[in-house]
Amino acid sequence: MGRNTGSDAAAVKERSVIQPRRRTVSAPSEADSWAAGAEVKLPEGLEQLEAVHPPAEFDEFDSDGNPILEGLSPFTRSEGMRYATAILENAGVKKGDVVGLIINADDPEQCDAANMIIDAGYRSGVHVELTVPGHVGEEHMQALLESDATFIQLSSFTPPDAEPVEIDEATAWEQEALVAGSVSATSDEDGLAAWNAYSQAKNANEVRWSISMWPTRAWAKSVYPELEPDEAFRQLGKDIRYLARCSDEDDENTWREHIAALKRRADFLNGMQVEKLEISGGGTELEVDIARGADFLPCEWETKRGSTVCVNVPTEEIFTTPDPKKARGRIQATKPLVWIDPLTRESQVIEGVWARIEDGEIVEVGCKDPAQRELLDRIFTAELGTNRLGELGLVGQESRVVELGRTFNNTIIDENAGLHFGFGNSFDSITGGEGNRGKAHYDVSCGNDETVIYAVGKDGRREKIMERGRWLI
């Protein structure tokens, strides 16, 4: 559950994680049916958003039956409004809330998305404003934090060889005006102080924050290289809506049912008082102790202010905090590690990452391409605290990400295709326990249909909780 970026002072110029066919899976297991039986109940204080200002009617298709896309998006008007509303609702936003929307101000497609989300917020009785790192001053940021605003960051994937997005002059002027209107910082130092205040509140679990996907043309081309550009863009848009559980086949309760199932599995593990996990399969052989007092949680929880938030959309995981000094064995990545250079903001896709771990520390690391080996020495370091585990995420092969059968080169999506390990800073302010301390957080996805996991409880009980990558609980 992380972004694979560093968190030094240069991150104030960060561009939103910016990260710019479905296949058949096996029949549902008994565990699926068991989890699906979870009662769907909205957290206290959370309500499903209803239209305060109903949208006007628009034609969705032209005379030839082709979809009329909204702005620079791959969505029709109704699809875009439903997804934009889902971004707000899935994050836990409710009527009357304030949302700070974090985008890459240099990305025309994310600026276009901001207009759609602002519109969706208006129609739902939610105030949405741009909160671009470096643009917002400390005084304004403190006011947002005191109002218990929800900060939602848009994430895409920008391939290293991506072509710039071309837009007309009118659109460029409109977007420049939108971004200019978000500036409240009086200096670079003021902007940095604002972002540090937000980061400190986030790390202390004192603020609501969430990351949601936004499809771009360059990203679509990298995921669906065999399709024509327009078809690839449209397909990625369908995928993103499907993962957020607001596709044409989902109803208004689908997301809540999904979160309830994840919570039920987490409750089972917490009831076991799990002290250790034994993980094998797909090249990974690892024993890892759980930090004393740490709980298993889905990516929805309460902040210290009592507000509910879901921090990743999509999410398929249950996570916890491992003991940073008690892991031993070897891990093998089954998805690429996408690393964002904190200074240049350029992305690097690293295939086949593996690591050998002793006493919780990486003692040897490698990857498929020897030319990228030196990058790993910059990523996993004692100085950053990324040489030790900070998070353990459990995902079954029932995941919708697995169902789509694609590598998206976006950590938030790809980590939800199976078991993953987060190196660096822990989320122990949320899970409890005492985890690792670090200046960054890098996720390595290692799960597949060979994964087997045993949980060992405080009473010595040893139970298989995952086989062939699928949940047994």
Side-chain angles (χ1 to χ4, degrees):
M1 185 184 64
R3 299 186 305 171
N4 288 8
T5 59
S7 57
D8 53 30
V12 70
K13 301 185 183 298
E14 136 178 53
R15 302 290 190 241
S16 71
V17 181
I18 329 197
Q19 300 270 353
R21 240 144 322 284
R22 214 161 291 170
R23 65 178 174 85
T24 303
V25 294
S26 55
S29 65
E30 291 183 8
D32 297 324
S33 302
W34 176 80
E39 180 183 0
V40 180
K41 183 179 180 182
L42 290 174
E44 185 176 351
L46 184 62
E47 58 191 45
Q48 291 185 327
L49 294 177
E50 297 180 0
V52 177
H53 306 280
E57 293 294 328
F58 290 89
D59 290 332
E60 298 278 289
F61 297 89
D62 62 22
S63 58
D64 295 325
N66 298 314
I68 300 173
L69 304 185
E70 181 73 7
L72 302 178
S73 81
F75 308 124
T76 66
R77 175 69 176 176
S78 63
E79 291 169 348
M81 289 304 293
R82 184 177 181 191
Y83 180 55
T85 302
I87 285 176
L88 300 173
E89 190 172 75
N90 291 359
V93 174
K94 55 186 182 296
K95 188 165 59 177
D97 278 355
V98 175
V99 170
L101 182 62
I102 304 172
I103 66 167
N104 175 2
D106 294 329
D107 184 337
E109 289 162 297
Q110 288 202 7
C111 288
D112 186 70
N115 279 320
M116 196 177 298
I117 296 169
I118 290 170
D119 190 11
Y122 168 75
R123 298 185 188 284
S124 304
V126 174
H127 175 69
V128 181
E129 61 177 70
L130 288 191
T131 314
V132 179
H135 289 196
V136 179
E138 184 177 17
E139 183 177 352
H140 188 187
M141 178 62 74
Q142 290 293 353
L144 288 170
L145 293 172
E146 289 172 10
S147 72
D148 197 23
T150 300
F151 293 83
I152 297 178
Q153 181 172 351
L154 296 187
S155 175
S156 306
F157 168 70
T158 304
D161 58 350
E163 297 286 338
V165 178
E166 295 184 5
I167 56 176
D168 58 46
E169 289 186 10
T171 302
W173 182 89
E174 180 184 343
Q175 293 191 355
E176 287 175 5
L178 175 71
V179 173
S182 71
V183 177
S184 62
T186 58
S187 64
D188 289 346
E189 290 74 18
D190 190 28
L192 179 59
W195 198 245
N196 285 340
Y198 166 66
S199 298
Q200 290 170 10
K202 178 179 172 182
N203 291 336
N205 192 28
E206 295 173 347
V207 63
R208 292 183 285 174
W209 61 275
S210 184
I211 302 175
S212 287
M213 305 298 103
W214 196 266
T216 64
R217 284 189 174 274
W219 186 12
K221 183 179 178 181
S222 72
V223 177
Y224 290 98
E226 77 280 10
L227 299 181
E228 292 297 321
D230 288 349
E231 186 181 356
F233 192 35
R234 184 83 172 131
Q235 184 60 51
L236 181 60
K238 291 178 180 178
D239 291 349
I240 296 301
R241 290 201 303 129
Y242 184 66
L243 295 176
R245 287 169 168 76
C246 67
S247 67
D248 294 341
E249 55 200 88
D250 294 313
D251 62 33
E252 63 179 12
N253 294 317
T254 306
W255 179 262
R256 297 304 326 160
E257 291 168 352
H258 171 58
I259 295 297
L262 292 177
K263 286 184 176 180
R264 187 167 177 134
R265 287 179 172 129
D267 288 345
F268 179 90
L269 294 174
N270 292 331
M272 273 191 70
Q273 295 184 287
V274 175
E275 291 190 337
K276 180 174 71 173
L277 294 179
E278 301 169 355
I279 304 167
S280 62
T284 293
E285 297 286 340
L286 189 76
E287 288 189 5
V288 56
D289 288 20
I290 307 304
R292 186 185 299 271
D295 285 334
F296 288 82
L297 295 171
C299 283
E300 180 179 274
W301 60 74
E302 280 193 1
T303 68
K304 289 180 179 178
R305 300 185 66 160
S307 300
T308 300
V309 64
C310 182
V311 301
N312 286 350
V313 180
T315 181
E316 305 278 349
E317 73 174 293
I318 296 167
F319 74 101
T320 191
T321 298
D323 187 318
K325 295 183 178 180
K326 294 183 179 179
R328 52 241 157 240
R330 185 184 190 277
I331 67 167
Q332 174 66 60
T334 54
K335 291 283 187 180
L337 168 63
V338 180
W339 178 66
I340 311 298
D341 190 308
L343 298 178
T344 68
R345 309 309 308 158
E346 293 180 352
S347 59
Q348 295 280 349
V349 180
I350 309 172
E351 301 272 1
V353 173
W354 59 268
R356 189 164 59 85
I357 300 172
E358 294 180 1
D359 297 325
E361 182 178 11
I362 293 178
V363 295
E364 189 177 7
V365 65
C367 60
K368 183 178 180 180
D369 184 357
Q372 293 182 310
R373 173 63 180 77
E374 64 180 35
L375 282 177
L376 299 180
D377 291 332
R378 294 177 59 190
I379 295 171
F380 302 106
T381 72
E383 181 182 0
L384 291 174
T386 50
N387 60 333
R388 293 183 182 273
L389 285 173
E391 179 211 0
L392 175 61
L394 305 181
V395 179
Q397 294 295 289
E398 303 88 344
S399 159
R400 284 195 176 188
V401 178
V402 175
E403 184 182 343
L404 291 175
R406 292 277 166 164
T407 295
F408 289 86
N409 290 330
N410 179 298
T411 300
I412 301 299
I413 299 181
D414 288 337
E415 72 172 9
N416 281 292
L419 164 78
H420 56 269
F421 302 97
F423 289 87
N425 201 43
S426 72
F427 298 99
D428 58 6
S429 65
I430 299 159
T431 64
E434 185 173 347
N436 192 42
R437 294 289 174 266
K439 300 177 182 178
H441 184 100
Y442 302 121
D443 288 293
V444 181
S445 297
C446 298
N448 61 14
D449 59 8
E450 298 177 8
T451 300
V452 177
I453 301 179
Y454 284 88
V456 180
K458 185 177 181 180
D459 59 0
R461 170 186 169 196
R462 182 173 181 265
E463 180 158 340
K464 185 185 288 187
I465 62 170
M466 191 173 287
E467 184 172 26
R468 298 181 64 183
R470 296 182 67 85
W471 285 108
L472 297 177
I473 59 172

